[in-house]
Amino acid sequence: MQDVAQLAGVSVKTVSNVVNGYPYIRPATRARVEEAIVELGYRLNVSARNLRQGRTGMIGLAVPELSQPYFAELADLVIQAGEDAGVTVLIEQTGAQRVRELEVLHGERRQMTDGLIFSPLALGEEDRTEFAVHYPLVLLGERIFRGPADHVTMANVEAAYAATRRLIELGRRRIAVIGAHPGETVGSAGLRVVGYERALTEAGLPLDPALMGPVVAWHRSTGADAMERLLAAGTPIDAVFALNDAMALGALRALSARGVRVPQDVAVIGFDDVDDARYSSPSLSTVAPGRLQIARTAVELLMARIADPAPGRPFVEVVADFEIIERESTGSAVAAST
Amino acid sequence: MQDVAQLAGVSVKTVSNVVNGYPYIRPATRARVEEAIVELGYRLNVSARNLRQGRTGMIGLAVPELSQPYFAELADLVIQAGEDAGVTVLIEQTGAQRVRELEVLHGERRQMTDGLIFSPLALGEEDRTEFAVHYPLVLLGERIFRGPADHVTMANVEAAYAATRRLIELGRRRIAVIGAHPGETVGSAGLRVVGYERALTEAGLPLDPALMGPVVAWHRSTGADAMERLLAAGTPIDAVFALNDAMALGALRALSARGVRVPQDVAVIGFDDVDDARYSSPSLSTVAPGRLQIARTAVELLMARIADPAPGRPFVEVVADFEIIERESTGSAVAAST
């Protein structure tokens, strides 16, 4: 701090004020101090500590697609949680390709980070040995359960059940599901369809294949296409559960383009609670899957493994809390709610 | 290839088929080959070549915010362009904080990448010496022009002029602008307001301060707030030019919540052409700023600098081509267009 103060030509107290985010500092002074801090590589002694401990001060976050709002917003939260924990987060995108997911796990770049938070989409249960790596690893998502790593996941079945049940409580009986992967019982699609079917069965409603909108990649465009196919097929539908918000927003668009009123004719609920969901017209009801909790827990678990990498500590599985967010698309919120 | 074939227990021809994306291969065979490839660190000899040339095979991309759809979609395109060029892209988020932007430029992690594509938001003209670095660097954005690095930017003034002019051609006279940074003549906000004002002046329309919706951070929420303030102030408005799509989507929401019809009462145009713009109701007219061209050009320029790092080669400034995309929010597109 004294070196920084000397270089910036200010008092140690001023340096301390800048570092601690004290508000009343002249912008020019703040800039001088900040530049001196960088120049001296002060950075709260993080670098020196990392060097002593053989660390890089960086962690990796590997996700399938940043153009998916869910992953972009998750990355943002992981970066913030990393910053709070004193580490820089480097983001890697796999495109859900198997080779690139294997490279994320085993490639050279793992030598550059102290640990990895990884949301796989191509690798699954049959690849569990791939995840037995020699560095701290936290898994996200629904591809591997009780694998050889700490794991943060969502209550997929329960949340999908709650979303579908809410539609049933609102009097809907012909509830389509968009985003199903027919035949799959694992992964986000499989688990969420299990919850959907459980709610229908419990309510004595039939599982009608005509209500299934299969979609491979979960984008706005594919959601719109699936909705258009369902409408074109003429199957009576009074509600839609889209397995993510991107598809739900695409479905809203397809319904609006056809003049179908939401929620009067068809109620729509999504999954993810991405930022867009609050600003669509009508605003989108959805499942908030505990994204902030997922990001913070993942970073906490990883930092704990980095601090104590001794093998033998049992792996932890954390299931985030979810919440049903009701907005205009299910007709159950105040009209002007944003 | 022979080692891969041996390890996977398949022919060299089969390895070649997998590597070249040949479709008719049994999934199990493909998986075996892919795992063998990763295990042997084959990766098309990229690693070995990098090692010989003292390279890491990785480039950095530093952007302000991944939760901004514009930057998330840009990152996705840069990653794809990097993949085509045989390099992995590591993403860094600065949060538009000055200290973190300086660290992106001068921090230790620059030793881990062969070059950097950087979209600064806090650093500007007064910091141009900071950008005179000793590694390949390509700048994006509107903060530094003719700086000590290659630069890919947008035609901000011209594109904003064209967007505003289109609203005038459609008969609009009271055109509000959302996202202005009053007093700034640089950066995206400053340059786009220059284009907006030029179009108004040329058409003989007054520059009315009551039409200015100042917004610091360009998000959906701040766009909705600015629109609400403009509506609450009672200023007559028949069009809105939002300086990015996120704010435009927020403004659409605020207009819809107040029962203002778009485009009948108020036409809206944004800037960025993010994916959401096609799926809102009404769909959003916008400026497509050449994002794909920006991503590809940035990677090409960077790879050229990496291949030939000799100093003295003059720096290049590329201005991407833009296009006005007309959708429902300006009333000039077919109703069901997605």
Side-chain angles (χ1 to χ4, degrees), chain A residues 31 34-35 38 43 47 56 58 65-67 72-73 75-76 79-80 83 88-93 97-100 102-103 106-109 112 127 130 220-221 224 228 249-250 252-253 256-257 275-276 278-283 328 335-338, chain B residues 31 34-35 38 43 47 56 58 65-67 72-73 75-76 79-80 83 88-93 97-100 102-103 106-109 112 127 130 220-221 224 228 249-250 252-253 256-257 275-276 278-283 328 335-338:
Chain A
E34 287 172 346
E35 261 155 293
V38 171
R43 270 163 288 164
S47 299
T56 66
M58 287 185 281
E65 277 190 308
L66 288 169
S67 58
E73 294 179 20
D76 193 65
I79 287 165
Q80 286 175 38
E83 193 177 5
T88 299
V89 180
L90 294 181
I91 316 244
E92 302 168 51
Q93 173 169 288
Q97 291 173 38
R98 187 181 166 81
V99 170
R100 288 171 67 188
L102 287 169
E103 200 160 317
H106 306 303
E108 292 163 18
R109 76 193 88 142
M112 305 181 178
D127 307 295
E130 299 288 350
R220 287 185 192 85
S221 58
E228 274 160 21
L249 291 163
L252 281 185
R253 170 70 205 167
S256 153
D275 191 46
D276 331 22
R278 291 190 291 153
Y279 295 99
S280 62
S281 294
S283 56
E328 292 162 9
S337 154
T338 55
Chain B
E34 287 172 347
E35 262 155 288
V38 171
R43 269 162 289 164
S47 298
T56 65
M58 287 186 279
E65 277 190 308
L66 289 168
S67 57
E73 293 178 21
D76 193 64
I79 287 165
Q80 287 175 37
E83 193 177 4
T88 299
V89 180
L90 294 181
I91 315 240
E92 304 168 48
Q93 172 169 289
Q97 292 173 37
R98 187 180 166 80
V99 170
R100 286 170 68 188
L102 287 169
E103 200 160 318
H106 306 303
E108 292 163 19
R109 76 193 88 144
M112 304 181 179
D127 306 296
E130 300 289 349
R220 288 184 192 84
S221 58
E228 275 161 21
L249 292 163
L252 281 185
R253 170 70 206 168
S256 154
D275 190 47
D276 330 23
R278 290 190 291 153
Y279 294 98
S280 61
S281 293
S283 56
E328 292 162 8
S337 152
T338 52

Side-chain angles (χ1 to χ4, degrees), chain B residues 54-65:
Chain B
R55 292 184 198 156
T56 65
M58 287 186 279
I59 63 174
L61 169 68
V63 296
E65 277 190 308

Side-chain angles (χ1 to χ4, degrees), chain B residues 113-138:
Chain B
T113 57
D114 300 329
L116 174 67
I117 298 172
F118 183 20
S119 179
L121 200 54
L123 297 175
E125 284 294 346
E126 66 285 9
D127 306 296
R128 49 197 309 122
T129 55
E130 300 289 349
F131 296 91
V133 292
H134 299 291
Y135 54 81
L137 171 67
V138 173

